[in-house]
Amino acid sequence: TYDICEVRPGPNLNVIVGANGTGKSSIVCAICLGLAGKPSFIGRADKVGLFVKQGCLKGVVEIELSKAPENIIITREMQVVNNTSTWFINKKPTTLKTVEEQVAALNIQMDNLCQFLPQDRVGEFARLTKVELLEATEKSIGPPEMYKYHCELKNFRDKERELEVNMHINLCKDKAYSLEKMKQRVERYKQDIERYHECKRHLDLIDMLQRKRPWVEYETVRQQHEEVKQIRDQAKEELKNLKEMQSPLVKKIQETVESFKSLDKKIKCMAGEIKEVSQKCKQKQDALEMKDKQIEEINQAFRMKKDEEIDRRKKIISAHKMIEEWNDELSTASNCENLQPQIDAVNNKLKDLQGERANIESDISDVTTEKNNQEREKRRIIDRIKQLNNIMSMKEETLRGKYQDTHSALMWLRKNKDKFKKTVCEPIMLVISVKDSRHAKYIENHIPANDMKAFVFESPEDMDTFLTRDHQKLRVNAVCAPAVSCAGNLPSRPIEELHQYGFFSYLRELFDAPLLVMSYLCYQYSIHDVPVGTEKTRNMIEKVIQETKLRQLYTAEERYTVKVSAYTNLTFCSNVSLRAVQFLTNLVDTDERQRLEKQQQAINCTLQSLDTQLTTLLERHKHLERRDNELRQQKKELLERGNKRRQLESKIALKYDSIKQLEQDAINLEEESQKANVKIKEINTQKARLVSELMHLIKHCVSLNMLKTDLVLQSTVVAAEKNRLELEYKAASTQLRASEQTFCELDEKKRVLTENCRALLKKARQMCKLGLDQHLPKEFQTAFQDLPNTLEEIDALLNEEKCRASCFTGLNVVVVEEYNKQTEEIQELIEDLEEKKKELDNYKQNILQVKERWLNPLKSLIEKINEKFSNFFSSMQCVGEVDLHVENEDEYDKYGIRIRVKFHSSTELHELTPYHQSGGEKSVS
């Protein structure tokens, strides 16, 4: 369970609790083996090697015993390979005998079940005889002299027997001793005999239950068979009646079906004839409709000619009226005057106006093109600014993710800029613009993270205002730029002097920032005087440090710091690898952003100017269009005045030609009417003949439909009767099939039960060993009457009796025979010794003195044990007693301790034995 375990017992009672397999017994085994106990004392294994954890070659037990003036530490090492042990006392090697002596000196008795009782030996404790229990008690808790007196008392008794001179007396004692031994053996056998007879009673009852069970099972199945047989016979009779009732119904259904088929055939023939006549009627009706259509077409044609003639006459009248009106207008019109000079003047004005319009339109086109170009450039600039703003937003998101308080302060600053008198810069990481992303690592490694997120103030008062803003408890960094700007500080030497060492720039030149931020960084971190080199610088670093005397410098991937000792003037150099970029991953070109914003402002001004020009040009263009329309209308009116007389003369000539054509197209309506009446009369004659034929067909069709209706009614009656009979037949058939199925199931069940009855009867006769013609004997019948009559009760009783019988183990018939033999011998010895018993009383006086010194303390001790034992049992609502068991006061080797217990209120006190109590009750006792 474990590789190592340390247990520190406390005073009074110690209890170890735990689930199965957690190692409680391992601690008990360790106590026994560590105190020189043998494996057999534990009752689990016979070799010490078997107590070592599986997979290990050695086990160690160390026990510290309390003893004045110095405790004893006993150590035992157990080897698995050869089952040997090595002993140590106080860490020094020793022998097993020495350990046993030390343990015995402390009155530790590992072989005494009254001192050490492992769970595997609880049953062994219960099997201790009273004498053995007494001796174990004396050794474990009695005074040292108690067991000594007991031994002396037994020795005195033996010596007294040796001193007996009289052979007769010796013989009597031998007989008395033999008698006592026999009684003890018989007493021991008595319980076995009682158990044997009790077990036999259980076995006899089991045998009788097993004999009766097949008979009860057979009787149960036989009753089921009789019940099923009776139900089956009833089902058979019912099936026969149903079959007899169904025959007339089948005959009626067949007759109805034949009648229905005959009527259906007649109906189909009638329907065919009706269909043929109906088709003829339809043809006649179609022909009549066609004739009506022809008459309508003739009338329509005549009406159209009539309308055409009326319309022709109206047109002639209207044409004459128009000619009269035009003649009047022509006569009143004055001679055409010379309008050409006026028309030429208007044309010249139009020409000048069109030239001016062309110039205006050209100017509008130019301004519009310029405006479109400017707007396109404006959109490009806005898109680029959005891109830069997105990069700025990403930087702000980085700030919010890493420094929530700083981001909150930034939002507050943007909303409250009016509270500050001088310039305030947002966190350095947001306002720095690295010119080349490859150089961001130098800047981040030079400027600490706390300053990268710091706000930069020009005025200390503004910084105080910011840090005490609205009582917000935000942890932010703020710095104040020097009063005199350091942004323009010059390096200690030009960068050109350092090119030979691989340096290409100072830190300040690698990025752009507001002047306030640049001033602070130059002042605080001397970025104007820290050069940045390449891999070339790294390769010649010693030369660089020695010749340039630089205090800080950067190579491609490292930062170097050089210090000079103030005491020894020695130079110390340290270098660290550059950290990955954390803040300046998203770079914003602030110069580009400012340039774009200026361009956007300029474009807005240009667009405003262009809009003003365009508005003026459009207004002028509209004015010219209005003037153009006026001149064109004036020219149109002049032209119309010159063309009007010619137009009137032309119109009059055309109208006379139209009248002439209309007079030639005249229609003779009377002649057309006569032709139409002749055609209609002929068609009406044909219609009369068709109507006559149609009426004859309709009468024939009506008579056929009446005959068909009569046949359909007859067919409906027959079909209803047929359906009724079929439903009755279907219901009867369903009932018949159900009855047949029920009968088959019952017949099969009866057959199975019959076979079961035969098999069970055969089994029951075999259990009672009866022949085919033999009846059940009277002794069986009598015995069966006292037993349960149902299988459930028999099985329950069988299980109970088998469980009871299985509890009786270790019984032997030889013990019974020996018991009977010993009983007879005891009876003979008792009769022989009754005469000599009085003579043996004299020898008891010799040991009375020793007996008093031994017996009185022993009784007192047992009374104390009994008192505590009884109290303990009383606390569990049980009863327990311990007393000194004395069969013969003079036989001191037969004295013993008797334990009696009662765990149930319904039982009596019983002596604790290996057989009467349960395992748990024995363990508790």
Side-chain angles (χ1 to χ4, degrees):
T1 305
Y2 34 66
D3 293 319
I4 186 168
C5 176
E6 183 176 2
V7 180
R8 295 179 177 272
N12 303 318
L13 177 66
N14 289 267
V15 180
I16 301 174
V17 296
N20 291 344
T22 54
K24 302 185 297 296
S25 298
S26 299
I27 297 171
V28 176
C29 296
I31 292 172
C32 178
L33 297 176
L35 295 177
K38 297 178 181 179
S40 59
F41 294 170
I42 302 170
R44 289 206 165 191
D46 56 350
K47 296 178 181 178
V48 293
L50 298 175
F51 288 85
V52 179
K53 182 177 181 179
Q54 291 183 2
C56 300
L57 298 176
K58 182 178 74 173
V60 179
V61 177
E62 185 178 277
I63 300 177
E64 183 174 0
L65 298 174
S66 175
K67 182 181 179 183
E70 185 179 359
N71 292 350
I72 301 173
I73 299 175
I74 299 174
T75 306
R76 181 177 187 175
E77 291 184 1
M78 295 168 283
Q79 306 294 331
V80 175
V81 178
N82 50 11
N83 287 295
T84 59
S85 298
T86 306
W87 295 90
F88 300 85
I89 292 181
N90 294 331
K91 308 298 182 180
K92 295 179 181 179
T94 186
T95 62
L96 172 62
K97 185 177 181 182
T98 305
V99 174
E100 288 175 343
E101 290 173 355
Q102 291 284 355
V103 170
L106 294 171
N107 196 30
I108 296 173
Q109 304 165 23
M110 299 310 297
D111 58 341
N112 189 340
L113 294 179
C114 285
Q115 272 200 9
F116 181 75
L117 182 60
Q119 68 179 44
D120 299 280
R121 297 188 67 193
V122 170
E124 186 177 340
F125 178 91
R127 287 193 294 273
L128 286 177
T129 63
K130 303 179 185 69
V131 175
E132 291 170 340
L133 189 57
L134 175 60
E135 292 179 354
T137 304
E138 289 176 331
K139 291 177 183 178
S140 62
I141 59 172
E145 64 273 10
M146 181 178 286
Y147 182 68
K148 176 185 172 185
Y149 287 151
H150 191 187
C151 293
E152 287 178 358
L153 206 56
K154 288 189 284 187
N155 293 333
F156 288 158
R157 181 64 175 159
D158 293 336
K159 288 179 182 179
E160 186 178 299
R161 292 192 187 95
E162 292 175 3
L163 293 175
E164 290 178 356
V165 179
N166 192 325
M167 292 299 296
H168 178 70
I169 294 175
N170 287 335
L171 179 61
C172 289
K173 286 186 177 181
D174 289 340
K175 288 183 178 180
Y177 180 75
S178 298
L179 177 62
E180 187 62 29
K181 287 289 185 184
M182 283 188 221
K183 284 183 177 180
Q184 288 180 3
R185 282 198 295 273
V186 167
E187 184 65 26
R188 287 199 300 271
Y189 291 153
K190 189 173 181 181
Q191 291 181 349
D192 290 340
I193 296 304
E194 289 176 357
R195 293 176 67 248
Y196 173 80
H197 287 304
E198 186 176 355
C199 180
K200 192 170 186 310
R201 284 195 299 274
H202 289 304
L203 293 175
D204 291 343
L205 181 56
I206 289 170
D207 180 63
M208 196 57 64
L209 286 168
Q210 289 175 341
R211 289 174 186 269
K212 182 175 181 180
R213 192 183 188 285
W215 289 101
V216 173
E217 195 172 0
Y218 161 72
E219 182 60 25
T220 303
V221 175
R222 189 190 66 77
Q223 290 177 2
Q224 293 176 1
H225 174 269
E226 291 300 322
E227 292 174 0
V228 171
K229 182 174 179 294
Q230 185 178 0
I231 297 170
R232 170 190 169 276
D233 292 341
Q234 292 175 357
K236 186 176 181 181
E237 185 65 26
E238 184 180 350
L239 181 62
K240 181 181 176 184
N241 294 336
L242 287 172
K243 287 181 178 179
E244 290 175 354
M245 290 169 60
Q246 203 171 22
S247 180
L249 194 59
V250 173
K251 187 176 180 182
K252 286 182 180 180
I253 290 172
Q254 290 175 349
E255 292 174 355
T256 307
V257 169
E258 291 298 326
S259 176
F260 181 77
K261 287 180 179 179
S262 175
L263 288 169
D264 188 57
K265 186 176 180 181
K266 291 178 181 179
I267 290 169
K268 286 180 179 178
C269 292
M270 192 66 66
E273 191 174 350
I274 290 170
K275 183 179 180 182
E276 185 178 351
V277 174
S278 296
Q279 286 177 349
K280 290 180 180 179
C281 289
K282 181 69 168 59
Q283 292 173 358
K284 299 299 181 184
Q285 287 176 343
D286 292 343
L288 283 171
E289 289 176 0
M290 185 60 69
K291 297 301 178 184
D292 290 337
K293 197 180 223 182
Q294 290 175 359
I295 293 171
E296 181 60 30
E297 288 175 354
I298 293 169
N299 290 329
Q300 181 68 21
F302 177 73
R303 283 195 299 273
M304 288 176 65
K305 288 183 179 181
K306 187 177 180 180
D307 292 340
E308 186 178 348
E309 177 60 20
I310 293 170
D311 185 54
R312 185 188 66 82
R313 292 175 182 175
K314 286 181 179 179
K315 285 181 178 179
I316 291 172
I317 294 169
S318 176
H320 283 298
K321 285 183 179 181
M322 290 178 70
I323 288 171
E324 289 177 2
E325 289 175 358
W326 287 340
N327 285 328
D328 293 340
E329 187 177 353
L330 187 62
S331 63
T332 57
S334 60
N335 292 329
C336 182
E337 57 192 88
N338 189 8
L339 300 175
Q340 190 60 40
Q342 296 180 30
I343 294 172
D344 292 340
V346 171
N347 284 334
N348 291 331
K349 290 180 180 179
L350 281 171
K351 186 176 179 181
D352 295 340
L353 190 64
Q354 287 172 356
E356 188 177 356
R357 279 185 64 190
N359 293 332
I360 293 294
E361 288 174 354
S362 176
D363 292 342
I364 290 172
S365 177
D366 293 341
V367 172
T368 303
T369 302
E370 179 64 20
K371 180 181 178 182
N372 291 337
N373 291 336
Q374 293 293 331
E375 287 179 344
R376 189 160 45 251
E377 180 65 15
K378 180 181 178 181
R379 286 194 297 271
R380 185 190 68 78
I381 291 171
I382 290 172
D383 291 341
R384 180 57 183 160
I385 291 173
K386 284 182 179 178
Q387 291 177 0
L388 296 175
N389 287 338
N390 288 339
I391 295 174
M392 181 60 71
S393 297
M394 292 168 64
K395 294 178 73 172
E396 290 178 9
E397 283 299 317
T398 302
L399 179 67
R400 183 168 66 175
K402 294 176 182 278
Y403 309 107
Q404 179 65 47
D405 285 0
T406 304
H407 184 268
S408 300
L410 175 64
M411 296 298 103
W412 182 89
L413 175 66
R414 289 178 177 175
K415 294 177 182 177
N416 297 276
K417 284 190 175 182
D418 57 323
K419 295 185 179 181
F420 302 99
K421 298 177 180 178
K422 295 188 177 182
T423 306
V424 180
C425 288
E426 295 180 354
I428 294 175
M429 63 175 286
L430 298 181
V431 299
I432 281 181
S433 174
V434 182
K435 297 178 180 178
D436 190 331
S437 59
R438 294 173 298 176
H439 300 153
K441 57 186 177 182
Y442 303 120
I443 300 163
E444 275 205 23
N445 279 271
H446 196 73
I447 304 173
N450 284 339
D451 273 5
M452 288 296 288
K453 61 178 181 175
F455 294 83
V456 183
F457 292 85
E458 184 179 2
S459 165
E461 291 79 8
D462 286 345
M463 187 167 73
D464 292 340
T465 302
F466 176 75
L467 293 175
T468 57
R469 60 194 173 281
D470 298 340
H471 304 288
Q472 294 181 2
K473 296 181 180 180
L474 299 178
R475 300 181 62 182
V476 296
N477 290 7
V479 297
C480 191
V484 179
S485 176
C486 298
N489 287 2
L490 297 175
S492 58
R493 72 196 80 183
I495 191 63
E496 290 77 14
E497 294 181 10
L498 299 177
H499 283 172
Q500 59 179 320
Y501 303 110
F503 294 105
F504 60 88
S505 175
Y506 286 106
L507 273 178
R508 182 176 62 182
E509 277 67 44
L510 298 181
F511 66 95
D512 292 324
L515 285 177
L516 199 65
V517 173
M518 193 67 80
S519 174
Y520 171 74
L521 294 177
C522 289
Y523 173 77
Q524 187 69 25
Y525 300 110
S526 303
I527 59 173
H528 62 284
D529 204 26
V530 178
V532 180
T534 60
E535 194 62 33
K536 177 182 176 181
T537 311
R538 173 68 182 84
N539 294 335
M540 55 189 303
I541 190 64
E542 293 181 1
K543 182 181 178 182
V544 171
I545 294 171
Q546 185 177 2
E547 293 181 1
T548 62
K549 307 299 181 181
L550 292 168
R551 292 293 176 260
Q552 292 187 79
L553 60 94
Y554 287 88
T555 64
E557 297 295 335
E558 293 176 317
R559 174 184 178 180
Y560 286 83
T561 304
V562 181
K563 295 182 179 179
V564 179
S565 172
Y567 303 100
T568 62
N569 205 31
L570 294 177
T571 301
F572 298 96
C573 176
S574 62
N575 66 304
V576 292
S577 296
L578 298 182
R579 301 188 309 274
V581 177
Q582 182 180 6
F583 301 103
L584 303 178
T585 53
N586 302 308
L587 304 179
V588 180
D589 190 341
T590 54
D591 285 348
E592 181 185 4
R593 183 174 177 177
Q594 291 174 0
R595 178 172 51 78
L596 290 172
E597 288 175 350
K598 289 179 180 178
Q599 289 179 2
Q600 185 180 7
Q601 291 175 0
I603 288 172
N604 287 336
C605 293
T606 302
L607 286 172
Q608 189 174 0
S609 174
L610 290 172
D611 285 339
T612 303
Q613 294 179 31
L614 188 61
T615 302
T616 304
L617 290 171
L618 289 173
E619 289 294 329
R620 179 60 181 163
H621 187 266
K622 287 180 182 179
H623 173 72
L624 293 175
E625 278 186 345
R626 287 195 298 271
R627 180 61 182 155
D628 183 85
N629 291 334
E630 291 173 358
L631 291 172
R632 288 182 184 278
Q633 183 63 30
Q634 187 178 352
K635 179 182 177 181
K636 182 180 178 182
E637 290 175 356
L638 291 171
L639 290 172
E640 285 177 352
R641 285 169 60 187
N643 295 332
K644 189 171 183 181
R645 184 177 182 82
R646 289 192 297 274
Q647 289 175 357
L648 288 172
E649 291 173 351
S650 176
K651 285 180 180 180
I652 291 169
L654 288 173
K655 190 58 70 176
Y656 275 122
D657 292 339
S658 175
I659 291 171
K660 186 177 180 181
Q661 183 64 38
L662 288 171
E663 289 175 347
Q664 291 176 359
D665 295 337
I667 298 172
N668 190 346
L669 293 177
E670 185 176 355
E671 184 182 345
E672 293 295 329
S673 175
Q674 290 175 359
K675 289 179 182 179
N677 289 334
V678 170
K679 291 180 181 179
I680 291 171
K681 185 177 181 181
E682 185 181 350
I683 292 172
N684 283 332
T685 303
Q686 296 173 2
K687 278 181 66 178
R689 187 170 61 255
L690 288 171
V691 170
S692 175
E693 293 173 357
L694 179 60
M695 292 302 296
H696 176 72
L697 289 172
I698 289 172
K699 288 179 182 178
H700 184 50
C701 186
V702 169
S703 63
L704 290 175
N705 275 307
M706 290 176 66
L707 291 172
K708 181 187 174 185
T709 302
D710 186 47
L711 290 172
V712 169
L713 289 172
Q714 293 179 34
S715 175
T716 303
V717 173
V718 173
E721 180 64 17
K722 173 175 164 287
N723 291 337
R724 185 185 65 79
L725 292 172
E726 285 177 345
L727 287 173
E728 289 182 8
Y729 177 77
K730 187 176 181 181
S733 298
T734 303
Q735 187 177 2
L736 181 63
R737 283 195 298 273
S739 297
E740 286 177 345
Q741 186 177 356
T742 303
F743 173 76
C744 292
E745 291 174 355
L746 291 170
D747 191 54
E748 176 62 20
K749 191 173 182 180
K750 172 182 171 295
R751 184 187 65 77
V752 172
L753 289 172
T754 302
E755 292 177 358
N756 289 345
C757 282
R758 289 172 183 167
L760 291 171
L761 181 60
K762 183 179 179 182
K763 180 182 176 182
R765 287 181 176 279
Q766 288 175 350
M767 288 295 294
C768 295
K769 299 179 181 179
L770 299 177
L772 293 175
D773 300 328
Q774 285 182 295
H775 295 289
L776 191 66
K778 282 246 176 132
E779 58 269 21
F780 282 139
Q781 295 180 14
T782 304
F784 286 174
Q785 288 177 357
D786 298 330
L787 298 177
N789 293 321
T790 64
L791 288 174
E792 291 79 7
E793 293 175 343
I794 288 174
D795 289 339
L797 188 56
L798 260 175
N799 290 332
E800 183 180 347
E801 292 300 321
K802 284 179 180 178
C803 290
R804 291 180 183 277
S806 65
C807 297
F808 295 92
T809 57
L811 300 179
N812 195 342
V813 179
V814 177
V815 175
V816 179
E817 295 174 353
E818 182 67 22
Y819 173 78
N820 293 331
K821 182 180 177 183
Q822 290 289 333
T823 303
E824 293 175 359
E825 291 179 359
I826 288 171
Q827 188 62 32
E828 293 175 359
L829 283 172
I830 288 174
E831 292 174 356
D832 187 29
L833 290 174
E834 277 179 354
E835 298 176 357
K836 302 178 178 68
K837 187 176 181 182
K838 293 179 182 179
E839 299 177 13
L840 298 176
D841 293 337
N842 296 327
Y843 296 97
K844 298 177 182 178
Q845 300 299 324
N846 297 328
I847 54 176
L848 284 178
Q849 188 175 0
V850 178
K851 179 180 178 181
E852 287 179 359
R853 291 199 301 269
W854 168 71
L855 189 58
N856 291 337
L858 177 62
K859 287 182 178 178
S860 176
L861 177 63
I862 291 174
E863 284 175 2
K864 291 180 181 178
I865 293 173
N866 177 55
E867 180 182 357
K868 293 185 178 181
F869 191 79
S870 298
N871 289 338
F872 291 148
F873 266 67
S874 176
S875 69
M876 297 186 294
Q877 285 77 46
C878 301
V879 179
E881 291 181 358
V882 177
D883 60 8
L884 182 64
H885 180 71
V886 181
E887 294 179 358
N888 187 342
E889 290 186 356
D890 296 329
E891 296 297 329
Y892 304 111
D893 55 347
K894 304 299 185 296
Y895 275 61
I897 287 180
R898 180 174 62 179
I899 301 173
R900 296 195 300 161
V901 294
K902 182 175 78 168
F903 285 89
H904 307 285
S905 59
S906 59
T907 60
E908 298 295 329
L909 277 169
H910 286 283
E911 187 176 345
L912 182 66
T913 67
Y915 313 106
H916 191 277
Q917 286 77 19
S918 67
E921 292 171 347
K922 286 186 284 188
S923 298
V924 171
S925 302

